[in-house]
Amino acid sequence: MPGRRRRSRAGGGGSSRRRFLYLLGGAAVSGALISSSGAFSTSRLSRPVDVQSASDPNALLGLSIPPFVDAGQSGQELVTVTNNASTPLTVSVELPGASGTVSPASRTIQPEESRAFTVTLSADAAGGENALTFDVTATAGSSTKISLSRSLGVRNFLRNLEDRTTNNNAFFYLSYRLQNVDTFQSFEVVVRNLDRGWIPTRTYTSTDVEHVFRIPESGSDGGTAGSTYEFEMRVYDADGLALQRVLTDVADGNNPQDNDAIGGGPNDPVVVGFTITDNEQYTNAHYVVDYEVGNTSSLQEVRVTFDNRSNSWADETETSTDTPTGTVTYDQGGVGGDTYDITVEVVNENGIVTDSLTKTDVADGADP
């Protein structure tokens, strides 16, 4: 059967820095414009015009833009628009071709009034300096139209929690990847069990832009299945606290539904595909998995997990460093007829799972 592809199995900080832009300087009919490059120009508003840029402090339309927004976050300030004109302006803001939405899409702003537009970006939104472009259009009836585009940076903070709780014992793997965080200094996660008072609060730190923490570092938290854990994650740059996220998870062996997919970069290892040979006989399972992987320059290992849906004692994970192709096998007695989820994952040199592919098979001697 077809496989399920995932890049991995397993809220935001702000800044007081602002960029202020003022558009359409002068009177309502004729205005002086100073472009971003410092060049001087004039515009006459007897008919609709498109204005590309200006920075006149007496402008009719003022924009306050933060230096960046964060992928995967909702309700972030995108731009605050000030109406310096003597007449109401209808202002709309759009994201052309971006992985996100603006709220509200349009609003009427009264004279001397400022209104904010917010943005919600998907976790896989492209990051980098000036990565997010938005269009602003302001109109006053049919005689005045101001249109322009502006850009700002996008920071990426991807995190993935793998809940390995089993037999009433809890432990986790927390992976993260940071991109486009200027002057990054360190990552910190504070882990608390909100229901079991005997479990200590733990703090883990790293100075790497991507890392995997085992929580706890060894062993497991006994008797904590079903309890709630809180993971408070903080990113520090040269100015102090730059980003903060809080994740909660019930220790039940199931991963959070809002896990980010860490992977998809140009140099990340990928799973090209794999085949399963089912040699089950006399209720004994015997699987042969032949895989192919790509982008292997940063590959640490290939993991193949055999997950028995009925009997967790039959679960097993095999690893291999053979590339670009390789073979792993699995043998287990007394599981004939059981359903298996078989997953091939690729792990990069920092321990991050960057891609995976899952197929399902019944151990019955017939290949999927």
Side-chain angles (χ1 to χ4, degrees):
M1 66 181 295
R4 303 193 306 273
R5 179 167 295 279
R6 302 170 295 173
R7 285 208 182 98
S8 75
R9 294 179 63 188
S15 170
S16 62
R17 291 167 293 196
R18 283 288 187 273
R19 289 182 291 155
F20 292 91
L21 299 173
Y22 297 91
L23 304 164
L24 210 58
V29 175
S30 178
L33 303 180
I34 301 175
S35 73
S36 300
S37 64
F40 182 84
S41 63
T42 61
S43 178
R44 189 169 299 276
L45 298 184
S46 59
R47 55 186 175 81
V49 297
D50 290 338
V51 181
Q52 297 304 315
S53 64
S55 55
D56 185 350
N58 298 315
L60 298 182
L61 193 65
L63 305 183
S64 172
I65 306 171
F68 46 72
V69 290
D70 297 314
Q73 298 300 297
S74 60
Q76 306 171 88
E77 181 185 346
L78 175 65
V79 60
T80 296
V81 180
T82 300
N83 182 0
N84 295 322
S86 59
T87 185
L89 295 174
T90 300
V91 179
S92 62
V93 179
E94 297 180 335
L95 299 180
S99 302
T101 57
V102 175
S103 179
S106 178
R107 70 191 321 163
T108 298
I109 304 178
Q110 299 299 320
E112 300 184 4
E113 186 178 50
S114 298
R115 293 298 183 192
F117 293 79
T118 63
V119 65
T120 296
L121 291 181
S122 63
D124 60 355
E129 184 178 1
N130 296 323
L132 181 65
T133 297
F134 61 93
D135 296 334
V136 179
T137 302
T139 59
S142 60
S143 62
T144 302
K145 179 180 180 181
I146 309 168
S147 299
L148 69 149
S149 295
R150 283 292 177 269
S151 299
L152 70 163
V154 176
R155 303 185 300 191
N156 300 85
F157 175 12
L158 303 174
R159 55 97 183 126
N160 189 293
L161 183 71
E162 188 175 351
D163 186 335
R164 291 288 191 91
T165 301
T166 185
N167 299 325
N168 206 28
N169 302 312
F171 76 96
F172 308 87
Y173 285 101
L174 176 66
S175 307
Y176 72 87
R177 171 178 283 181
L178 300 169
Q179 296 172 312
N180 312 304
V181 179
D182 292 340
T183 66
F184 166 75
Q185 298 289 312
S186 64
F187 177 93
E188 176 182 77
V189 57
V190 179
V191 184
R192 306 177 182 92
N193 187 298
L194 304 182
D195 301 320
R196 305 289 191 266
W198 70 85
I199 301 298
T201 297
R202 304 179 176 102
T203 300
Y204 305 85
T205 61
S206 172
T207 57
D208 298 324
V209 293
E210 64 177 35
H211 190 72
V212 181
F213 296 106
R214 190 191 192 280
I215 304 170
E217 292 180 298
S218 62
S220 59
D221 290 341
T224 58
S227 64
T228 299
Y229 280 79
E230 179 185 81
F231 304 82
E232 183 180 354
M233 297 165 284
R234 304 166 183 162
V235 178
Y236 295 91
D237 63 13
D239 295 323
L241 181 63
L243 293 164
Q244 188 171 12
R245 304 275 194 276
V246 176
L247 168 68
T248 58
D249 180 66
V250 175
D252 57 5
N254 296 312
N255 299 336
Q257 293 185 353
D258 62 346
N259 265 343
D260 295 326
I262 303 179
N267 298 317
D268 282 331
V270 295
V271 180
V272 177
F274 69 95
T275 61
I276 301 171
T277 302
D278 183 345
N279 292 322
E280 184 275 341
Q281 191 175 25
Y282 307 121
T283 75
N284 300 315
H286 176 71
Y287 280 114
V288 178
V289 173
D290 295 296
Y291 66 80
E292 181 180 358
V293 295
N295 285 358
T296 60
S297 60
S298 62
L299 179 73
Q300 181 184 97
E301 65 181 12
V302 179
R303 295 177 188 165
V304 182
T305 300
F306 300 86
D307 183 2
N308 187 305
R309 293 186 180 180
S310 302
N311 299 294
S312 60
W313 52 263
D315 295 349
E316 189 173 308
T317 298
E318 301 289 342
T319 63
S320 173
T321 57
D322 293 338
T323 61
T325 60
T327 300
V328 299
T329 61
Y330 168 88
D331 292 281
Q332 181 63 60
V335 293
D338 287 359
T339 298
Y340 279 82
D341 291 322
I342 301 175
T343 300
V344 176
E345 299 175 321
V346 282
V347 182
N348 74 3
E349 56 198 358
N350 294 317
I352 303 290
V353 176
T354 58
D355 195 17
S356 68
L357 183 62
T358 299
K359 296 181 180 182
T360 300
D361 181 64
V362 176
D364 58 3
D367 296 342

